[in-house]
Amino acid sequence: MGTIRAIQSTLFLTVLSLRRSLWSRQTVICAVLSTLVVGITFAWSLRHAITAAEFSSQWILPVFVAALLPIYCLCYASGTVASDRSDGTLVYLLTSSLYRPLIHSAKFLAALLATLIWTLGTFALMAYFARPNGWHVFDQFWLSITLATLAYVGLFHLFSVLFERATIVSLLYAIFLEILFSNMPGTAKRITVLFYTRCSLFDAGREFGVAPENPELFLPISGAAAEASLWIATVALFSLAGWLFARKEYV
Amino acid sequence: MVKTAAVIHPPCEFTNVSKWYGDVIGINDVSTELQPGITGLVGPNGAGKSTMIRLLTGQLRPSIGEVRIQGLSSWSAEAKARIGYCPDVDAFYEEMSGRRFVRTMARLHGFSRSEARQRTEEVLTQVDMLDRANRRLAGYSKGMRQRIKLAQALVHDPDLVVLDEPLNGVDPVGRRELVQLFHRLAEAGKAVLVSSHILDDMDSLADQIWFICRGRLLASGTLEQIRDMLDDHPLHVRITTDNLRCLVRELVTHGSVRGLQIESSIDVTVEVEHPKQFYQQFAEVVAEGDYEIQRLQVLDASTEAIFDYLMERRMV
């Protein structure tokens, strides 16, 4: 297959995977969750004008970033390869003329796009209803949210390449490791995506007074270092998943 | 001027291939070549058929040895472009129609939108699904699903077609049509490997047979070649003649005849020890005695008989 045809096929697989993942149960789960948080934000804004500090520290950080964002990522990224594997349709991809790294890239890209639609879309809707300061918070936080999405998608996609029951593994990781470790004192939390996301958000939201409750226990790193870590984690996880996918025998 | 001879590779080549799954051996030191025409891959469950097919279609890599498709490693994308694979698993993108599924597979093989559409119509015609392909796959019968799987395997016009249990669930009329299609593919110069546990299928289908058991390729070749190889294998031949008594009297003196069973006044079943020797002597007897032989039927020259024999011999 020539280069142009390979690119065309990869794009086709990306669109196919995106369409199939958006037309799934996961989308219903994400839609319910988004409707809920956007509705609550709207109801809150009816009671009084929400300040940027309130919106960030009472809503975005503890609810959206710590709970919803990993769920959105998990919904789409943990099924990239694993769902094809459990459905028995992976064989069609693995015996097609497409190079395995391209199949892997298409699957990752589709999951990333689907997840970004939900994370940034829901965040944007929440910001829209969190009047009058919501858009300002969105403006400051969108990059951190995007980077967190990238890192989580990279991680759950790696699980999907490795495990047939990737959703369960991802859920266990999100519930136990992320929540447990990210709230531990000391440096153990530095293995979690949530730690770097929070550091990036604390840095971006400094002007609203967003900061860790106890900096001596939390031991934050700079925003730039956190963002660089999220980038590096994404690239490393994507590369590792690609390397494994190119070699793994799916029996 | 130096002339260089073009190297012609066989459609598929196994060279000292072994595959282990941990401590379990999938196939053991298999060396063989697939030739154009139809080859049947037969063996009992757990024999290693699936491992061979997965190695051939680049889903597995050998632990030792190499599998090559027209000289290319079967793991490579270039090799996969030359293989059409019809898997045994009954899995599809169920929300799609048959036509869209085949078109999707064509796009994954690198065809443009218009080429994919054209190729899809061609292969749907080949598998006789043209007028039924717009229905959703979830509503298809087993036979229709098999045909769509076959269509997606042919959509990129591969040189080597690997069909894993392709006749499963297909009604007798459909079976006949598909067998005719396989023959047409073979006549077009393609190598077709058909795995089946229904050995009767192979008799009318395969030009060559690969017998596999416990991970070892026990025999490969045409049915006749295998029969020749097994000339010590007892054979049952039914002979029909009006002059049965005299013929039986002559046959009992033959060294190659182990036993006789008279079935009727004109039929006798002869158990032959060395078939080649028997046929030579039998021809002489018939010519000298001027017997009129109405029918000479080999009762167990089917794939199944050879297969059973191979399996029995293996177990001893």
Side-chain angles (χ1 to χ4, degrees):
Chain A
M1 198 191 297
T3 311
I4 293 171
R5 283 183 183 256
I7 293 168
Q8 281 176 346
S9 292
T10 309
L11 289 175
F12 176 79
L13 180 58
T14 307
V15 174
L16 174 74
S17 304
L18 178 63
R19 203 165 42 210
R20 295 194 78 231
S21 58
L22 287 176
W23 192 254
S24 64
R25 269 197 313 261
Q26 283 86 333
T27 298
V28 178
I29 297 168
C30 292
V32 169
L33 290 172
S34 293
T35 308
L36 201 69
V37 288
V38 171
I40 292 170
T41 311
F42 178 63
W44 188 14
S45 71
L46 291 178
R47 290 179 64 191
H48 68 90
I50 305 167
T51 64
E54 280 175 332
F55 185 50
S56 315
S57 51
Q58 290 178 30
W59 201 222
I60 296 298
L61 267 130
V63 177
F64 183 73
V65 171
L68 283 188
L69 192 123
I71 293 174
Y72 289 135
C73 298
L74 187 153
C75 276
Y76 293 107
S78 66
T80 49
V81 175
S83 63
D84 272 304
R85 199 174 166 188
S86 57
D87 292 348
T89 51
L90 187 62
V91 66
Y92 294 113
L93 300 180
L94 296 182
T95 55
S96 76
S97 322
L98 256 183
Y99 294 97
R100 280 197 180 204
L102 294 180
I103 298 171
H104 164 260
S105 303
K107 287 282 177 186
F108 176 82
L109 196 59
L112 183 63
L113 290 172
T115 313
L116 280 173
I117 288 171
W118 286 104
T119 53
L120 289 180
T122 305
F123 184 33
L125 281 172
M126 286 163 74
Y128 175 77
F129 286 112
R131 286 174 182 146
N133 299 300
W135 277 119
H136 186 47
V137 174
F138 182 87
D139 197 36
Q140 293 296 309
F141 284 175
W142 75 268
L143 182 62
S144 307
I145 301 291
T146 304
L147 289 175
T149 306
L150 278 166
Y152 274 124
V153 168
L155 181 66
F156 296 141
H157 172 65
L158 173 66
F159 290 156
S160 189
V161 165
L162 282 173
F163 308 109
E164 193 169 354
R165 306 261 177 230
T167 308
I168 294 168
V169 176
S170 304
L171 257 175
L172 291 174
Y173 173 85
I175 292 168
F176 291 107
L177 270 162
E178 280 286 315
I179 293 175
L180 209 73
F181 274 73
S182 64
N183 289 311
M184 280 173 82
T187 53
K189 64 170 77 68
R190 293 192 178 189
I191 63 161
T192 65
V193 175
L194 189 55
F195 170 75
Y196 298 98
T197 311
R198 278 176 175 162
C199 290
S200 171
L201 289 168
F202 289 142
D203 190 58
R206 206 180 308 143
E207 63 175 280
F208 327 131
V210 178
E213 281 178 21
N214 191 341
E216 284 170 11
L217 281 178
F218 186 74
L219 300 173
I221 58 170
S222 72
E227 283 159 17
S229 302
L230 289 170
W231 271 117
I232 291 166
T234 307
V235 173
L237 290 165
F238 172 78
S239 306
L240 179 61
W243 186 81
L244 289 167
F245 185 74
R247 281 156 186 78
K248 193 167 163 62
E249 295 172 333
Y250 292 94
V251 187
Chain B
M1 191 171 150
V2 180
K3 282 186 179 176
T4 52
V7 180
I8 299 169
H9 297 284
C12 165
E13 200 177 359
F14 282 72
T15 312
N16 303 116
V17 177
S18 296
K19 178 69 187 173
W20 294 285
Y21 304 101
D23 293 339
V24 180
I25 200 154
I27 61 166
N28 188 6
D29 196 25
V30 170
S31 292
T32 188
E33 276 181 15
L34 192 69
Q35 298 298 336
I38 302 175
T39 301
L41 176 63
V42 289
N45 287 336
K49 296 194 299 290
S50 295
T51 302
M52 274 193 87
I53 283 182
R54 285 175 181 157
L55 283 162
L56 199 153
T57 52
Q59 296 175 70
L60 294 177
R61 274 183 299 195
S63 306
I64 295 177
E66 55 183 18
V67 182
R68 298 203 157 262
I69 308 297
Q70 294 179 345
L72 301 161
S73 164
S74 66
W75 186 261
S76 68
E78 289 80 5
K80 285 169 188 166
R82 293 161 162 83
I83 305 172
Y85 177 47
C86 174
D88 62 334
V89 287
D90 192 36
F92 296 92
Y93 299 139
E94 298 286 346
E95 75 279 7
M96 291 184 182
S97 67
R99 180 170 267 112
R100 207 173 131 217
F101 181 76
V102 177
R103 207 181 290 161
T104 297
M105 293 303 127
R107 296 297 307 273
L108 291 178
H109 279 291
F111 287 101
S112 68
R113 193 190 295 255
S114 58
E115 288 169 339
R117 191 171 293 133
Q118 189 193 333
R119 278 299 302 159
T120 300
E121 298 310 303
E122 284 170 18
V123 289
L124 286 175
T125 309
Q126 268 185 297
V127 299
D128 195 23
M129 280 294 290
L130 198 61
D131 52 343
R132 294 172 285 178
N134 280 342
R135 282 161 55 184
R136 267 171 62 114
L137 278 159
Y140 278 7
S141 68
K142 187 80 193 291
M144 287 160 80
R145 289 165 81 87
Q146 287 286 24
R147 284 167 190 263
I148 291 295
K149 270 199 288 187
L150 190 58
Q152 67 78 31
L154 300 174
V155 77
H156 56 297
D157 194 22
D159 297 325
L160 168 60
V161 185
V162 181
L163 310 166
D164 202 352
E165 305 277 358
L167 301 174
N168 256 6
V170 184
D171 59 73
V173 177
R175 286 171 96 89
R176 202 166 50 241
E177 287 170 4
L178 287 181
V179 166
Q180 284 169 357
L181 171 63
F182 301 158
H183 282 298
R184 283 201 300 275
L185 291 171
E187 281 161 17
K190 295 185 192 303
V192 183
L193 181 72
V194 186
S195 134
S196 178
H197 67 279
I198 302 167
L199 300 177
D200 281 342
D201 290 344
M202 292 300 171
D203 280 333
S204 58
L205 184 61
D207 305 317
Q208 300 242 341
I209 303 284
W210 285 355
F211 288 110
I212 188 166
C213 183
R214 293 184 185 175
R216 281 193 177 274
L217 191 66
L218 296 187
S220 64
T222 62
L223 274 174
E224 281 171 22
Q225 283 170 340
I226 292 169
R227 174 59 71 198
D228 287 347
M229 190 184 80
L230 299 168
D231 63 351
D232 60 334
H233 171 38
L235 189 72
H236 291 84
V237 183
R238 177 171 290 176
I239 303 165
T240 307
T241 178
D242 288 334
N243 200 355
L244 190 67
R245 278 178 176 227
C246 295
L247 183 65
V248 166
R249 207 177 301 136
E250 297 232 28
L251 287 177
V252 290
T253 61
H254 274 230
S256 56
V257 173
R258 266 170 54 169
L260 288 157
Q261 188 170 347
I262 295 170
E263 308 287 350
S264 69
S265 60
I266 56 166
D267 289 313
V268 62
T269 298
V270 184
E271 191 182 345
V272 177
E273 198 163 27
H274 302 292
K276 267 188 181 171
Q277 189 189 336
F278 168 78
Y279 284 128
Q280 280 171 358
Q281 291 175 341
F282 182 71
E284 287 166 16
V285 167
V286 169
E288 283 169 15
D290 200 20
Y291 292 103
E292 191 182 330
I293 304 298
Q294 288 158 1
R295 194 171 60 161
L296 182 77
Q297 184 190 6
V298 180
L299 296 180
D300 51 358
S302 67
T303 312
E304 193 134 17
I306 299 172
F307 182 63
D308 286 346
Y309 173 67
L310 283 165
M311 292 301 121
E312 280 166 23
R313 200 169 69 166
R314 180 83 192 151
M315 300 301 171
V316 172

